[in-house]
Amino acid sequence: MRHDIDIAGVLVPSLLLWLVVAYGCVALLSVGLRRLGFYRLVWHRALFDFALFVCVLGGIVYLVSEFSS
């Protein structure tokens, strides 16, 4: 099921909004993990950040699909 969201007369795919929300969440998580020193334990930081982004995006899409129906 595809949904478009109307923002001031412009139709925006819902996935684009979920990507922006996920990016914001991962940015905040990244700052928190950096302050905790967690990245010292990570082998490849860029790969870890990408995997974290995919997991957060999947969680957001799942939650939206559960609560929208």
Side-chain angles (χ1 to χ4, degrees):
M1 181 183 325
R2 295 180 185 221
H3 296 286
D4 291 332
I5 299 170
D6 183 16
I7 298 178
V10 177
L11 292 176
V12 179
S14 58
L15 182 60
L16 179 63
L17 296 177
W18 298 333
L19 286 168
V20 171
V21 170
Y23 180 76
C25 291
V26 169
L28 291 174
L29 281 171
S30 179
V31 169
L33 292 174
R34 189 179 319 127
R35 286 186 181 173
L36 290 174
F38 180 78
Y39 282 121
R40 287 181 289 138
L41 305 173
V42 174
W43 170 68
H44 197 286
R45 181 176 175 188
L47 184 62
F48 178 81
D49 284 341
F50 179 69
L52 184 63
F53 176 76
V54 170
C55 290
V56 169
L57 178 63
I60 289 171
V61 170
Y62 175 74
L63 289 174
V64 168
S65 66
E66 281 293 315
F67 290 119
S68 68
S69 56

